[in-house]
Amino acid sequence: MSIDRAMFRFAGIMVLLSVVLTVYVSPHFVWFTVFVGANLLQSSFTGFCPAAMVFKKMGCKSGSAFQ
């Protein structure tokens, strides 16, 4: 699996998890959703994503968005 696919899959899981936590645990978990969205937005401009660095160290091959 490429870093791009792993990172997008991870981000999608985090967004869905944060929505479930917001609905069933506390409305304050909406800030987790905001954090994930902001991180996706900034990584689209800068190409820097901490999750992509972790996936690279885990052995995922390079993709086209994250090297």
Side-chain angles (χ1 to χ4, degrees), residues 3 6-7 10 48-60:
I3 293 173
M7 197 279 307
F10 178 71
F48 172 76
C49 180
M53 293 173 12
V54 170
F55 287 125
K56 184 175 184 176
K57 288 183 180 182
M58 290 174 54
C60 290

Side-chain angles (χ1 to χ4, degrees), residues 20-52:
V20 168
L21 290 171
T22 299
V23 170
Y24 292 109
V25 178
S26 170
H28 296 292
F29 275 106
V30 74
W31 292 108
F32 184 44
T33 311
V34 170
F35 171 75
V36 173
N39 192 22
L40 284 169
L41 184 63
Q42 73 82 26
S43 69
S44 72
F45 286 108
T46 65
F48 172 76
C49 180

